[in-house]
Each structure stands twice: as structure tokens, then as C-alpha cells.
Amino acid sequence: MPQSSAVLAEPAAGGEPSAGSDFAPLLRQVREQGLLERRRGWYAAGITVNLLALAAIAAGLVLLDGSWWTLLLAPLAAVFWARTAFIGHDSGHSQI
């Protein structure tokens, strides 16, 4: 189903719509706010926390040795594996 939320170009000084992309003002605003700058430190901290959490979960699995208590670690493992996938996705797009 197509979206019907079209943005109209603002009129130029002569009253005619300005030539150019409707996306340009938004892109300019995003760049001015620094939202496209890479945050390597944030990723480094996130990757470190993620690896430590996965190591702790693995240690918990070994220490619990097949007990039913290991099921409590499953949601945590799912969350941190999903974070690993998002980091891998960003890395694949060279966004780190």
C-alpha cells in the first residue's frame, strides 16, 4: 500500500517551487546536528560490554552444568546475541 504523505517543495523567491530534492533540507539539518558522525568510542564500549556479558553467560552455563536454572540465562543470551547481530550489521555497512 503506497504512502500518501508527500512533502511539497517550498516556493522560491519568484513564487515557483525550488529546484532540488525535498530530502536536501532534512539532510542538511541532520548533518548540522552531527547525527551522521561516527561514534567509535560508543561502539568500542558496546562491543566490550557485549563480549563480557556473553562470556559471563557462557561461564554461567558451564557452572550450572545442565541444570534447569540454565533456562534463566536463555533470555539474556538472546538479547546479547541480537546485539551482536546489530553490531555485525552496522559493521557490514561500514558504519562503525
Side-chain angles (χ1 to χ4, degrees), residues 14-55:
E16 295 183 18
S18 62
S21 170
D22 293 335
F23 179 70
L26 175 63
L27 180 60
R28 191 174 317 111
Q29 183 180 7
V30 167
R31 282 190 177 147
E32 287 171 359
Q33 293 179 5
L35 298 175
L36 294 179
E37 294 176 10
R38 293 187 178 176
R39 303 182 309 179
R40 290 185 176 102
W42 185 86
Y43 274 101
I47 290 169
T48 301
V49 167
N50 210 48
L51 288 174
L52 289 173
L54 287 172

PDB file of all heavy atoms in Angstrom, residues 14-55:
ATOM      1  N   GLY A  14      10.741  33.656  -6.502  1.00  0.00           N
ATOM      2  CA  GLY A  14       9.864  34.020  -7.605  1.00  0.00           C
ATOM      3  C   GLY A  14       8.482  33.400  -7.482  1.00  0.00           C
ATOM      4  O   GLY A  14       7.622  33.626  -8.326  1.00  0.00           O
ATOM      5  N   GLY A  15       8.205  32.628  -6.459  1.00  0.00           N
ATOM      6  CA  GLY A  15       6.905  32.012  -6.278  1.00  0.00           C
ATOM      7  C   GLY A  15       6.805  30.613  -6.854  1.00  0.00           C
ATOM      8  O   GLY A  15       5.829  29.920  -6.638  1.00  0.00           O
ATOM      9  N   GLU A  16       7.823  30.166  -7.596  1.00  0.00           N
ATOM     10  CA  GLU A  16       7.806  28.827  -8.172  1.00  0.00           C
ATOM     11  C   GLU A  16       8.487  27.860  -7.206  1.00  0.00           C
ATOM     12  O   GLU A  16       9.337  28.267  -6.414  1.00  0.00           O
ATOM     13  CB  GLU A  16       8.550  28.825  -9.513  1.00  0.00           C
ATOM     14  CG  GLU A  16       7.875  29.685 -10.569  1.00  0.00           C
ATOM     15  CD  GLU A  16       8.595  29.595 -11.899  1.00  0.00           C
ATOM     16  OE1 GLU A  16       9.369  28.635 -12.086  1.00  0.00           O
ATOM     17  OE2 GLU A  16       8.388  30.463 -12.726  1.00  0.00           O
ATOM     18  N   PRO A  17       8.116  26.587  -7.259  1.00  0.00           N
ATOM     19  CA  PRO A  17       8.777  25.608  -6.387  1.00  0.00           C
ATOM     20  C   PRO A  17      10.271  25.566  -6.663  1.00  0.00           C
ATOM     21  O   PRO A  17      10.704  25.682  -7.795  1.00  0.00           O
ATOM     22  CB  PRO A  17       8.109  24.280  -6.747  1.00  0.00           C
ATOM     23  CG  PRO A  17       6.839  24.646  -7.398  1.00  0.00           C
ATOM     24  CD  PRO A  17       7.044  25.987  -8.036  1.00  0.00           C
ATOM     25  N   SER A  18      11.066  25.414  -5.601  1.00  0.00           N
ATOM     26  CA  SER A  18      12.518  25.402  -5.756  1.00  0.00           C
ATOM     27  C   SER A  18      12.957  24.107  -6.421  1.00  0.00           C
ATOM     28  O   SER A  18      12.374  23.050  -6.207  1.00  0.00           O
ATOM     29  CB  SER A  18      13.199  25.536  -4.391  1.00  0.00           C
ATOM     30  OG  SER A  18      12.865  24.436  -3.575  1.00  0.00           O
ATOM     31  N   ALA A  19      13.980  24.218  -7.231  1.00  0.00           N
ATOM     32  CA  ALA A  19      14.537  23.033  -7.877  1.00  0.00           C
ATOM     33  C   ALA A  19      15.413  22.311  -6.865  1.00  0.00           C
ATOM     34  O   ALA A  19      16.065  22.930  -6.045  1.00  0.00           O
ATOM     35  CB  ALA A  19      15.352  23.440  -9.096  1.00  0.00           C
ATOM     36  N   GLY A  20      15.419  21.027  -6.907  1.00  0.00           N
ATOM     37  CA  GLY A  20      16.238  20.259  -5.981  1.00  0.00           C
ATOM     38  C   GLY A  20      15.392  19.242  -5.246  1.00  0.00           C
ATOM     39  O   GLY A  20      14.175  19.178  -5.388  1.00  0.00           O
ATOM     40  N   SER A  21      16.050  18.493  -4.435  1.00  0.00           N
ATOM     41  CA  SER A  21      15.408  17.407  -3.727  1.00  0.00           C
ATOM     42  C   SER A  21      14.664  17.900  -2.499  1.00  0.00           C
ATOM     43  O   SER A  21      15.079  18.848  -1.837  1.00  0.00           O
ATOM     44  CB  SER A  21      16.480  16.403  -3.308  1.00  0.00           C
ATOM     45  OG  SER A  21      15.940  15.449  -2.437  1.00  0.00           O
ATOM     46  N   ASP A  22      13.544  17.246  -2.202  1.00  0.00           N
ATOM     47  CA  ASP A  22      12.818  17.538  -0.967  1.00  0.00           C
ATOM     48  C   ASP A  22      13.585  16.989   0.231  1.00  0.00           C
ATOM     49  O   ASP A  22      13.336  17.385   1.363  1.00  0.00           O
ATOM     50  CB  ASP A  22      11.428  16.890  -0.988  1.00  0.00           C
ATOM     51  CG  ASP A  22      10.530  17.514  -2.036  1.00  0.00           C
ATOM     52  OD1 ASP A  22      10.767  18.686  -2.396  1.00  0.00           O
ATOM     53  OD2 ASP A  22       9.604  16.831  -2.491  1.00  0.00           O
ATOM     54  N   PHE A  23      14.513  16.092  -0.014  1.00  0.00           N
ATOM     55  CA  PHE A  23      15.306  15.461   1.026  1.00  0.00           C
ATOM     56  C   PHE A  23      16.453  16.355   1.485  1.00  0.00           C
ATOM     57  O   PHE A  23      16.948  16.217   2.596  1.00  0.00           O
ATOM     58  CB  PHE A  23      15.841  14.130   0.487  1.00  0.00           C
ATOM     59  CG  PHE A  23      16.702  13.380   1.443  1.00  0.00           C
ATOM     60  CD1 PHE A  23      16.152  12.792   2.573  1.00  0.00           C
ATOM     61  CD2 PHE A  23      18.060  13.242   1.217  1.00  0.00           C
ATOM     62  CE1 PHE A  23      16.951  12.083   3.465  1.00  0.00           C
ATOM     63  CE2 PHE A  23      18.853  12.546   2.094  1.00  0.00           C
ATOM     64  CZ  PHE A  23      18.295  11.963   3.222  1.00  0.00           C
ATOM     65  N   ALA A  24      16.875  17.293   0.658  1.00  0.00           N
ATOM     66  CA  ALA A  24      18.044  18.124   0.950  1.00  0.00           C
ATOM     67  C   ALA A  24      17.924  18.903   2.255  1.00  0.00           C
ATOM     68  O   ALA A  24      18.875  18.930   3.041  1.00  0.00           O
ATOM     69  CB  ALA A  24      18.340  19.043  -0.223  1.00  0.00           C
ATOM     70  N   PRO A  25      16.804  19.563   2.552  1.00  0.00           N
ATOM     71  CA  PRO A  25      16.731  20.291   3.834  1.00  0.00           C
ATOM     72  C   PRO A  25      16.842  19.364   5.043  1.00  0.00           C
ATOM     73  O   PRO A  25      17.479  19.714   6.040  1.00  0.00           O
ATOM     74  CB  PRO A  25      15.356  20.963   3.795  1.00  0.00           C
ATOM     75  CG  PRO A  25      14.965  21.003   2.368  1.00  0.00           C
ATOM     76  CD  PRO A  25      15.622  19.823   1.729  1.00  0.00           C
ATOM     77  N   LEU A  26      16.238  18.190   4.963  1.00  0.00           N
ATOM     78  CA  LEU A  26      16.324  17.237   6.064  1.00  0.00           C
ATOM     79  C   LEU A  26      17.763  16.764   6.244  1.00  0.00           C
ATOM     80  O   LEU A  26      18.268  16.699   7.369  1.00  0.00           O
ATOM     81  CB  LEU A  26      15.398  16.054   5.826  1.00  0.00           C
ATOM     82  CG  LEU A  26      15.474  14.927   6.847  1.00  0.00           C
ATOM     83  CD1 LEU A  26      15.050  15.425   8.227  1.00  0.00           C
ATOM     84  CD2 LEU A  26      14.610  13.765   6.424  1.00  0.00           C
ATOM     85  N   LEU A  27      18.434  16.443   5.155  1.00  0.00           N
ATOM     86  CA  LEU A  27      19.823  16.000   5.222  1.00  0.00           C
ATOM     87  C   LEU A  27      20.708  17.093   5.810  1.00  0.00           C
ATOM     88  O   LEU A  27      21.574  16.818   6.637  1.00  0.00           O
ATOM     89  CB  LEU A  27      20.328  15.601   3.836  1.00  0.00           C
ATOM     90  CG  LEU A  27      21.764  15.107   3.755  1.00  0.00           C
ATOM     91  CD1 LEU A  27      21.957  13.868   4.630  1.00  0.00           C
ATOM     92  CD2 LEU A  27      22.143  14.815   2.318  1.00  0.00           C
ATOM     93  N   ARG A  28      20.470  18.332   5.429  1.00  0.00           N
ATOM     94  CA  ARG A  28      21.241  19.453   5.959  1.00  0.00           C
ATOM     95  C   ARG A  28      21.047  19.563   7.476  1.00  0.00           C
ATOM     96  O   ARG A  28      21.998  19.745   8.226  1.00  0.00           O
ATOM     97  CB  ARG A  28      20.804  20.757   5.274  1.00  0.00           C
ATOM     98  CG  ARG A  28      21.698  21.919   5.545  1.00  0.00           C
ATOM     99  CD  ARG A  28      21.320  23.173   4.731  1.00  0.00           C
ATOM    100  NE  ARG A  28      20.990  22.889   3.349  1.00  0.00           N
ATOM    101  CZ  ARG A  28      19.759  22.988   2.815  1.00  0.00           C
ATOM    102  NH1 ARG A  28      18.740  23.367   3.554  1.00  0.00           N
ATOM    103  NH2 ARG A  28      19.540  22.707   1.546  1.00  0.00           N
ATOM    104  N   GLN A  29      19.819  19.434   7.930  1.00  0.00           N
ATOM    105  CA  GLN A  29      19.522  19.517   9.357  1.00  0.00           C
ATOM    106  C   GLN A  29      20.177  18.363  10.129  1.00  0.00           C
ATOM    107  O   GLN A  29      20.731  18.570  11.208  1.00  0.00           O
ATOM    108  CB  GLN A  29      18.013  19.502   9.571  1.00  0.00           C
ATOM    109  CG  GLN A  29      17.600  19.659  11.009  1.00  0.00           C
ATOM    110  CD  GLN A  29      16.088  19.645  11.164  1.00  0.00           C
ATOM    111  OE1 GLN A  29      15.352  19.401  10.218  1.00  0.00           O
ATOM    112  NE2 GLN A  29      15.638  19.907  12.368  1.00  0.00           N
ATOM    113  N   VAL A  30      20.135  17.161   9.581  1.00  0.00           N
ATOM    114  CA  VAL A  30      20.752  16.002  10.232  1.00  0.00           C
ATOM    115  C   VAL A  30      22.260  16.189  10.326  1.00  0.00           C
ATOM    116  O   VAL A  30      22.868  15.907  11.361  1.00  0.00           O
ATOM    117  CB  VAL A  30      20.390  14.707   9.471  1.00  0.00           C
ATOM    118  CG1 VAL A  30      21.253  13.548   9.909  1.00  0.00           C
ATOM    119  CG2 VAL A  30      18.920  14.383   9.650  1.00  0.00           C
ATOM    120  N   ARG A  31      22.884  16.699   9.277  1.00  0.00           N
ATOM    121  CA  ARG A  31      24.336  16.930   9.297  1.00  0.00           C
ATOM    122  C   ARG A  31      24.709  18.028  10.290  1.00  0.00           C
ATOM    123  O   ARG A  31      25.713  17.922  10.985  1.00  0.00           O
ATOM    124  CB  ARG A  31      24.830  17.301   7.906  1.00  0.00           C
ATOM    125  CG  ARG A  31      24.956  16.112   7.011  1.00  0.00           C
ATOM    126  CD  ARG A  31      25.675  16.449   5.737  1.00  0.00           C
ATOM    127  NE  ARG A  31      25.840  15.252   4.940  1.00  0.00           N
ATOM    128  CZ  ARG A  31      25.833  15.242   3.629  1.00  0.00           C
ATOM    129  NH1 ARG A  31      25.671  16.360   2.956  1.00  0.00           N
ATOM    130  NH2 ARG A  31      25.979  14.109   2.975  1.00  0.00           N
ATOM    131  N   GLU A  32      23.901  19.099  10.363  1.00  0.00           N
ATOM    132  CA  GLU A  32      24.179  20.188  11.303  1.00  0.00           C
ATOM    133  C   GLU A  32      24.125  19.702  12.751  1.00  0.00           C
ATOM    134  O   GLU A  32      24.858  20.194  13.598  1.00  0.00           O
ATOM    135  CB  GLU A  32      23.177  21.327  11.103  1.00  0.00           C
ATOM    136  CG  GLU A  32      23.405  22.133   9.851  1.00  0.00           C
ATOM    137  CD  GLU A  32      22.280  23.118   9.575  1.00  0.00           C
ATOM    138  OE1 GLU A  32      21.302  23.170  10.355  1.00  0.00           O
ATOM    139  OE2 GLU A  32      22.380  23.832   8.562  1.00  0.00           O
ATOM    140  N   GLN A  33      23.265  18.742  13.047  1.00  0.00           N
ATOM    141  CA  GLN A  33      23.148  18.217  14.398  1.00  0.00           C
ATOM    142  C   GLN A  33      24.181  17.140  14.704  1.00  0.00           C
ATOM    143  O   GLN A  33      24.242  16.636  15.818  1.00  0.00           O
ATOM    144  CB  GLN A  33      21.735  17.664  14.622  1.00  0.00           C
ATOM    145  CG  GLN A  33      20.684  18.743  14.618  1.00  0.00           C
ATOM    146  CD  GLN A  33      19.284  18.188  14.828  1.00  0.00           C
ATOM    147  OE1 GLN A  33      19.107  16.998  15.065  1.00  0.00           O
ATOM    148  NE2 GLN A  33      18.300  19.045  14.720  1.00  0.00           N
ATOM    149  N   GLY A  34      25.000  16.769  13.705  1.00  0.00           N
ATOM    150  CA  GLY A  34      26.067  15.797  13.921  1.00  0.00           C
ATOM    151  C   GLY A  34      25.585  14.369  14.040  1.00  0.00           C
ATOM    152  O   GLY A  34      26.285  13.523  14.606  1.00  0.00           O
ATOM    153  N   LEU A  35      24.410  14.066  13.499  1.00  0.00           N
ATOM    154  CA  LEU A  35      23.854  12.730  13.649  1.00  0.00           C
ATOM    155  C   LEU A  35      24.481  11.696  12.718  1.00  0.00           C
ATOM    156  O   LEU A  35      24.235  10.507  12.879  1.00  0.00           O
ATOM    157  CB  LEU A  35      22.333  12.768  13.431  1.00  0.00           C
ATOM    158  CG  LEU A  35      21.570  13.622  14.443  1.00  0.00           C
ATOM    159  CD1 LEU A  35      20.103  13.682  14.074  1.00  0.00           C
ATOM    160  CD2 LEU A  35      21.744  13.062  15.836  1.00  0.00           C
ATOM    161  N   LEU A  36      25.268  12.137  11.754  1.00  0.00           N
ATOM    162  CA  LEU A  36      25.907  11.199  10.833  1.00  0.00           C
ATOM    163  C   LEU A  36      27.366  10.945  11.184  1.00  0.00           C
ATOM    164  O   LEU A  36      28.045  10.180  10.496  1.00  0.00           O
ATOM    165  CB  LEU A  36      25.810  11.721   9.391  1.00  0.00           C
ATOM    166  CG  LEU A  36      24.402  11.789   8.815  1.00  0.00           C
ATOM    167  CD1 LEU A  36      24.433  12.351   7.397  1.00  0.00           C
ATOM    168  CD2 LEU A  36      23.747  10.426   8.821  1.00  0.00           C
ATOM    169  N   GLU A  37      27.860  11.570  12.257  1.00  0.00           N
ATOM    170  CA  GLU A  37      29.242  11.363  12.653  1.00  0.00           C
ATOM    171  C   GLU A  37      29.403   9.983  13.287  1.00  0.00           C
ATOM    172  O   GLU A  37      28.518   9.509  13.991  1.00  0.00           O
ATOM    173  CB  GLU A  37      29.671  12.447  13.641  1.00  0.00           C
ATOM    174  CG  GLU A  37      29.706  13.816  13.006  1.00  0.00           C
ATOM    175  CD  GLU A  37      30.044  14.904  14.004  1.00  0.00           C
ATOM    176  OE1 GLU A  37      30.430  14.566  15.144  1.00  0.00           O
ATOM    177  OE2 GLU A  37      29.904  16.071  13.639  1.00  0.00           O
ATOM    178  N   ARG A  38      30.528   9.356  13.026  1.00  0.00           N
ATOM    179  CA  ARG A  38      30.786   8.021  13.576  1.00  0.00           C
ATOM    180  C   ARG A  38      31.115   8.123  15.052  1.00  0.00           C
ATOM    181  O   ARG A  38      31.780   9.057  15.484  1.00  0.00           O
ATOM    182  CB  ARG A  38      31.922   7.361  12.818  1.00  0.00           C
ATOM    183  CG  ARG A  38      31.520   7.067  11.396  1.00  0.00           C
ATOM    184  CD  ARG A  38      32.555   6.283  10.686  1.00  0.00           C
ATOM    185  NE  ARG A  38      32.062   5.999   9.335  1.00  0.00           N
ATOM    186  CZ  ARG A  38      32.763   5.390   8.432  1.00  0.00           C
ATOM    187  NH1 ARG A  38      33.967   4.975   8.708  1.00  0.00           N
ATOM    188  NH2 ARG A  38      32.260   5.175   7.252  1.00  0.00           N
ATOM    189  N   ARG A  39      30.644   7.138  15.804  1.00  0.00           N
ATOM    190  CA  ARG A  39      30.861   7.110  17.252  1.00  0.00           C
ATOM    191  C   ARG A  39      31.643   5.852  17.610  1.00  0.00           C
ATOM    192  O   ARG A  39      31.105   4.893  18.139  1.00  0.00           O
ATOM    193  CB  ARG A  39      29.517   7.156  17.983  1.00  0.00           C
ATOM    194  CG  ARG A  39      28.707   8.363  17.591  1.00  0.00           C
ATOM    195  CD  ARG A  39      27.418   8.461  18.332  1.00  0.00           C
ATOM    196  NE  ARG A  39      26.652   7.223  18.284  1.00  0.00           N
ATOM    197  CZ  ARG A  39      25.484   7.061  18.881  1.00  0.00           C
ATOM    198  NH1 ARG A  39      24.958   8.042  19.554  1.00  0.00           N
ATOM    199  NH2 ARG A  39      24.843   5.923  18.798  1.00  0.00           N
ATOM    200  N   ARG A  40      32.933   5.881  17.303  1.00  0.00           N
ATOM    201  CA  ARG A  40      33.771   4.698  17.510  1.00  0.00           C
ATOM    202  C   ARG A  40      33.878   4.330  18.979  1.00  0.00           C
ATOM    203  O   ARG A  40      33.904   3.159  19.335  1.00  0.00           O
ATOM    204  CB  ARG A  40      35.141   4.935  16.901  1.00  0.00           C
ATOM    205  CG  ARG A  40      35.105   4.959  15.387  1.00  0.00           C
ATOM    206  CD  ARG A  40      36.509   5.086  14.807  1.00  0.00           C
ATOM    207  NE  ARG A  40      36.458   5.016  13.373  1.00  0.00           N
ATOM    208  CZ  ARG A  40      36.540   6.076  12.573  1.00  0.00           C
ATOM    209  NH1 ARG A  40      36.685   7.277  13.088  1.00  0.00           N
ATOM    210  NH2 ARG A  40      36.483   5.924  11.272  1.00  0.00           N
ATOM    211  N   GLY A  41      33.984   5.315  19.857  1.00  0.00           N
ATOM    212  CA  GLY A  41      34.085   5.036  21.288  1.00  0.00           C
ATOM    213  C   GLY A  41      32.842   4.345  21.818  1.00  0.00           C
ATOM    214  O   GLY A  41      32.927   3.421  22.633  1.00  0.00           O
ATOM    215  N   TRP A  42      31.669   4.786  21.340  1.00  0.00           N
ATOM    216  CA  TRP A  42      30.414   4.172  21.765  1.00  0.00           C
ATOM    217  C   TRP A  42      30.359   2.717  21.327  1.00  0.00           C
ATOM    218  O   TRP A  42      29.947   1.846  22.093  1.00  0.00           O
ATOM    219  CB  TRP A  42      29.240   4.954  21.169  1.00  0.00           C
ATOM    220  CG  TRP A  42      27.917   4.494  21.639  1.00  0.00           C
ATOM    221  CD1 TRP A  42      27.260   4.883  22.773  1.00  0.00           C
ATOM    222  CD2 TRP A  42      27.063   3.540  21.002  1.00  0.00           C
ATOM    223  NE1 TRP A  42      26.056   4.226  22.872  1.00  0.00           N
ATOM    224  CE2 TRP A  42      25.908   3.399  21.792  1.00  0.00           C
ATOM    225  CE3 TRP A  42      27.164   2.786  19.833  1.00  0.00           C
ATOM    226  CZ2 TRP A  42      24.875   2.545  21.468  1.00  0.00           C
ATOM    227  CZ3 TRP A  42      26.125   1.943  19.503  1.00  0.00           C
ATOM    228  CH2 TRP A  42      25.005   1.823  20.310  1.00  0.00           C
ATOM    229  N   TYR A  43      30.797   2.454  20.116  1.00  0.00           N
ATOM    230  CA  TYR A  43      30.816   1.070  19.628  1.00  0.00           C
ATOM    231  C   TYR A  43      31.844   0.236  20.381  1.00  0.00           C
ATOM    232  O   TYR A  43      31.597  -0.932  20.696  1.00  0.00           O
ATOM    233  CB  TYR A  43      31.090   1.017  18.128  1.00  0.00           C
ATOM    234  CG  TYR A  43      29.855   1.171  17.294  1.00  0.00           C
ATOM    235  CD1 TYR A  43      29.534   2.381  16.692  1.00  0.00           C
ATOM    236  CD2 TYR A  43      28.982   0.115  17.113  1.00  0.00           C
ATOM    237  CE1 TYR A  43      28.388   2.523  15.936  1.00  0.00           C
ATOM    238  CE2 TYR A  43      27.835   0.239  16.362  1.00  0.00           C
ATOM    239  CZ  TYR A  43      27.550   1.443  15.771  1.00  0.00           C
ATOM    240  OH  TYR A  43      26.412   1.575  15.022  1.00  0.00           O
ATOM    241  N   ALA A  44      33.012   0.802  20.675  1.00  0.00           N
ATOM    242  CA  ALA A  44      34.032   0.052  21.405  1.00  0.00           C
ATOM    243  C   ALA A  44      33.515  -0.343  22.784  1.00  0.00           C
ATOM    244  O   ALA A  44      33.684  -1.495  23.216  1.00  0.00           O
ATOM    245  CB  ALA A  44      35.310   0.884  21.532  1.00  0.00           C
ATOM    246  N   ALA A  45      32.865   0.587  23.472  1.00  0.00           N
ATOM    247  CA  ALA A  45      32.302   0.279  24.795  1.00  0.00           C
ATOM    248  C   ALA A  45      31.190  -0.763  24.670  1.00  0.00           C
ATOM    249  O   ALA A  45      31.113  -1.701  25.469  1.00  0.00           O
ATOM    250  CB  ALA A  45      31.771   1.549  25.446  1.00  0.00           C
ATOM    251  N   GLY A  46      30.330  -0.607  23.677  1.00  0.00           N
ATOM    252  CA  GLY A  46      29.229  -1.552  23.480  1.00  0.00           C
ATOM    253  C   GLY A  46      29.712  -2.952  23.161  1.00  0.00           C
ATOM    254  O   GLY A  46      29.175  -3.943  23.677  1.00  0.00           O
ATOM    255  N   ILE A  47      30.723  -3.048  22.316  1.00  0.00           N
ATOM    256  CA  ILE A  47      31.275  -4.359  21.954  1.00  0.00           C
ATOM    257  C   ILE A  47      31.927  -5.009  23.176  1.00  0.00           C
ATOM    258  O   ILE A  47      31.768  -6.217  23.414  1.00  0.00           O
ATOM    259  CB  ILE A  47      32.268  -4.223  20.785  1.00  0.00           C
ATOM    260  CG1 ILE A  47      31.512  -3.871  19.500  1.00  0.00           C
ATOM    261  CG2 ILE A  47      33.095  -5.485  20.602  1.00  0.00           C
ATOM    262  CD1 ILE A  47      32.401  -3.451  18.351  1.00  0.00           C
ATOM    263  N   THR A  48      32.635  -4.211  23.970  1.00  0.00           N
ATOM    264  CA  THR A  48      33.275  -4.741  25.175  1.00  0.00           C
ATOM    265  C   THR A  48      32.243  -5.273  26.160  1.00  0.00           C
ATOM    266  O   THR A  48      32.373  -6.388  26.686  1.00  0.00           O
ATOM    267  CB  THR A  48      34.138  -3.654  25.840  1.00  0.00           C
ATOM    268  OG1 THR A  48      35.117  -3.215  24.902  1.00  0.00           O
ATOM    269  CG2 THR A  48      34.820  -4.176  27.083  1.00  0.00           C
ATOM    270  N   VAL A  49      31.197  -4.486  26.416  1.00  0.00           N
ATOM    271  CA  VAL A  49      30.137  -4.919  27.324  1.00  0.00           C
ATOM    272  C   VAL A  49      29.471  -6.184  26.793  1.00  0.00           C
ATOM    273  O   VAL A  49      29.188  -7.127  27.543  1.00  0.00           O
ATOM    274  CB  VAL A  49      29.108  -3.784  27.535  1.00  0.00           C
ATOM    275  CG1 VAL A  49      27.836  -4.292  28.209  1.00  0.00           C
ATOM    276  CG2 VAL A  49      29.721  -2.661  28.331  1.00  0.00           C
ATOM    277  N   ASN A  50      29.226  -6.215  25.498  1.00  0.00           N
ATOM    278  CA  ASN A  50      28.584  -7.365  24.884  1.00  0.00           C
ATOM    279  C   ASN A  50      29.434  -8.629  25.041  1.00  0.00           C
ATOM    280  O   ASN A  50      28.912  -9.691  25.394  1.00  0.00           O
ATOM    281  CB  ASN A  50      28.318  -7.070  23.405  1.00  0.00           C
ATOM    282  CG  ASN A  50      27.125  -7.783  22.879  1.00  0.00           C
ATOM    283  OD1 ASN A  50      26.067  -7.758  23.495  1.00  0.00           O
ATOM    284  ND2 ASN A  50      27.281  -8.429  21.738  1.00  0.00           N
ATOM    285  N   LEU A  51      30.722  -8.517  24.779  1.00  0.00           N
ATOM    286  CA  LEU A  51      31.605  -9.682  24.908  1.00  0.00           C
ATOM    287  C   LEU A  51      31.699 -10.159  26.357  1.00  0.00           C
ATOM    288  O   LEU A  51      31.692 -11.368  26.616  1.00  0.00           O
ATOM    289  CB  LEU A  51      32.993  -9.358  24.362  1.00  0.00           C
ATOM    290  CG  LEU A  51      33.102  -9.230  22.842  1.00  0.00           C
ATOM    291  CD1 LEU A  51      34.496  -8.774  22.452  1.00  0.00           C
ATOM    292  CD2 LEU A  51      32.763 -10.544  22.177  1.00  0.00           C
ATOM    293  N   LEU A  52      31.779  -9.215  27.292  1.00  0.00           N
ATOM    294  CA  LEU A  52      31.836  -9.596  28.704  1.00  0.00           C
ATOM    295  C   LEU A  52      30.545 -10.287  29.138  1.00  0.00           C
ATOM    296  O   LEU A  52      30.571 -11.277  29.884  1.00  0.00           O
ATOM    297  CB  LEU A  52      32.110  -8.377  29.575  1.00  0.00           C
ATOM    298  CG  LEU A  52      33.516  -7.789  29.478  1.00  0.00           C
ATOM    299  CD1 LEU A  52      33.606  -6.482  30.257  1.00  0.00           C
ATOM    300  CD2 LEU A  52      34.553  -8.781  29.949  1.00  0.00           C
ATOM    301  N   ALA A  53      29.408  -9.779  28.680  1.00  0.00           N
ATOM    302  CA  ALA A  53      28.127 -10.394  29.038  1.00  0.00           C
ATOM    303  C   ALA A  53      28.016 -11.799  28.453  1.00  0.00           C
ATOM    304  O   ALA A  53      27.564 -12.726  29.140  1.00  0.00           O
ATOM    305  CB  ALA A  53      26.973  -9.524  28.555  1.00  0.00           C
ATOM    306  N   LEU A  54      28.423 -11.975  27.202  1.00  0.00           N
ATOM    307  CA  LEU A  54      28.364 -13.308  26.598  1.00  0.00           C
ATOM    308  C   LEU A  54      29.319 -14.278  27.294  1.00  0.00           C
ATOM    309  O   LEU A  54      28.992 -15.455  27.479  1.00  0.00           O
ATOM    310  CB  LEU A  54      28.664 -13.228  25.098  1.00  0.00           C
ATOM    311  CG  LEU A  54      27.544 -12.611  24.253  1.00  0.00           C
ATOM    312  CD1 LEU A  54      28.025 -12.394  22.819  1.00  0.00           C
ATOM    313  CD2 LEU A  54      26.310 -13.479  24.280  1.00  0.00           C
ATOM    314  N   ALA A  55      30.483 -13.777  27.722  1.00  0.00           N
ATOM    315  CA  ALA A  55      31.419 -14.626  28.462  1.00  0.00           C
ATOM    316  C   ALA A  55      30.829 -15.026  29.815  1.00  0.00           C
ATOM    317  O   ALA A  55      30.969 -16.173  30.250  1.00  0.00           O
ATOM    318  CB  ALA A  55      32.753 -13.904  28.645  1.00  0.00           C
TER     319      ALA A  55
END
